[in-house]
Amino acid sequence: IFSLVLYQNGSWEEATLSRTAPCQNCYSLTKTVIATGIGMAQDQGLLSVDDPIIRYLEKDLPPKFDEKLENVKIRHLLSQTMGNETGYLFEADRFTHGTDDWLTFVLSQPLTYAPGSKFVYSNSTYYLLSCILHRAAGMTAEAFIRRHLFQPLGIGDYAWAACPKGETSGGTGLYLSTGDLAKIGLVYLHQGEYAGKRLLSREWIKEATRHQGQEDDPAYGYSFWMNQVGYEGNGAYRQMLLMVPERQLVLAAHVFQEEYDYIALLEQAGIL
């Protein structure tokens, strides 16, 4: 465990348990930040989750693509129900598919399922969201999120990977401090507000943090997983951003472990 930050009822506690760089790899917690950017863009009228993705990616379509792609909406990317049979752009897979054009590669893949009908976790869906945010906002996803989320939260130190074509990595690749990660959780805990300023609509918070798929799918919203006490964004090796609204609690953590039960940890500490 590198560091933990706990917020509860207006009080902050931070523990640094290992000597590390201030900013740590968030892995798939990057998805929560991209989803937040999409929510902000929708609040600003730049896009809608009900928009078909080809409205923004029409000029990027390969010569041959699955006709079901025309039915994929932004909400299907957010909820991991695009229709692919498998996920793409994981780890080395990003560099072993024979091209540095990730967008063409992803849009060329077959859709086995009807959009919205099957949950299949993928980094490629959030990469597409990053590209869509770029097209809708007229600036890269990183630039948009820096202006509308990071700057209002006072986040200045971070690093964010990009694809070979310069698009912000959407599924992974963001490095933040644990404290700054907790600030993003606080925006969700406080229904879109931070320090008295509204950054996200209540409507977005409600939609992002409820189960969006079919009944037999994993309980996944827009980048968030539902759990027995609230909801969480997480990443490989158990990076964590946990929100427990009933206890007014946010837990952010950077770790490097295959398994770690944060809810049990909080229960043992008498916090839950």
Side-chain angles (χ1 to χ4, degrees):
I1 300 173
F2 299 139
S3 57
L4 295 168
V5 172
L6 177 69
Y7 169 93
Q8 188 172 32
N9 295 319
S11 177
W12 291 88
E13 293 185 29
E14 183 167 356
T16 300
L17 306 177
S18 178
R19 183 175 296 177
T20 61
C23 294
Q24 293 294 312
N25 194 341
C26 293
Y27 294 93
S28 282
L29 272 169
T30 304
K31 294 179 175 68
T32 291
V33 181
I34 285 289
T36 301
I38 293 291
M40 291 178 156
Q42 178 169 265
D43 289 344
Q44 294 176 26
L46 299 176
L47 53 76
S48 166
V49 296
D50 290 315
D51 289 341
I53 68 170
I54 61 173
R55 179 176 299 178
Y56 303 93
L57 302 175
E58 186 173 7
K59 294 181 179 179
D60 304 292
L61 291 173
K64 294 183 179 181
F65 60 91
D66 194 308
E67 62 181 13
K68 290 191 288 294
L69 197 64
E70 297 178 356
N71 298 322
V72 178
K73 298 179 179 180
I74 291 175
R75 67 167 61 252
H76 297 139
L77 304 181
L78 287 162
S79 61
Q80 299 283 15
T81 59
M82 179 179 179
N84 293 122
E85 186 172 16
T86 187
Y88 298 100
L89 302 186
F90 292 117
E91 300 299 335
D93 169 54
R94 293 192 287 272
F95 305 98
T96 59
H97 48 64
T99 177
D100 63 0
D101 189 344
W102 295 6
L103 187 53
T104 297
F105 169 77
V106 171
L107 294 175
S108 298
Q109 301 310 308
L111 299 182
T112 304
Y113 310 105
S117 67
K118 180 73 173 178
F119 177 93
V120 177
Y121 189 80
S122 182
N123 279 347
S124 60
T125 49
Y126 276 73
Y127 174 70
L128 291 178
L129 288 170
S130 177
C131 296
I132 288 169
L133 184 54
H134 187 175
R135 308 298 187 274
M139 63 183 79
T140 64
E142 180 273 328
F144 181 86
I145 288 167
R146 172 171 19 100
R147 178 180 298 180
H148 297 286
L149 181 64
F150 288 176
Q151 289 180 353
L153 295 181
I155 297 175
D157 292 332
Y158 67 93
W160 203 333
C163 79
K165 298 292 186 180
E167 294 287 358
T168 306
S169 179
T172 186
L174 175 63
Y175 289 70
L176 283 175
S177 73
T178 312
D180 285 342
L181 181 60
K183 291 178 183 178
I184 296 171
L186 206 61
V187 173
Y188 281 86
L189 186 72
H190 290 165
Q191 294 295 300
E193 292 189 359
Y194 183 84
K197 182 178 180 180
R198 178 156 297 283
L199 301 181
L200 274 172
S201 65
R202 288 178 176 269
E203 292 75 18
W204 176 263
I205 304 293
K206 180 180 179 181
E207 288 299 296
T209 60
R210 72 174 181 88
H211 185 189
Q212 289 285 343
Q214 305 297 317
E215 283 190 19
D216 58 347
D217 286 337
Y220 190 82
Y222 294 160
S223 83
F224 290 112
W225 304 84
M226 311 305 113
N227 58 45
Q228 65 266 40
V229 297
Y231 55 93
E232 66 187 61
N234 58 45
Y237 310 109
R238 296 300 285 153
Q239 317 312 312
M240 178 58 63
L241 181 59
L242 170 68
M243 277 67 66
V244 186
E246 288 189 2
R247 296 297 182 93
Q248 282 297 290
L249 180 150
V250 172
L251 174 70
H254 282 110
V255 306
F256 198 82
Q257 294 191 26
E258 288 294 338
E259 298 291 338
Y260 200 84
D261 190 338
Y262 292 96
I263 293 173
L265 171 70
L266 293 171
E267 289 175 342
Q268 292 167 8
I271 297 170
L272 287 182

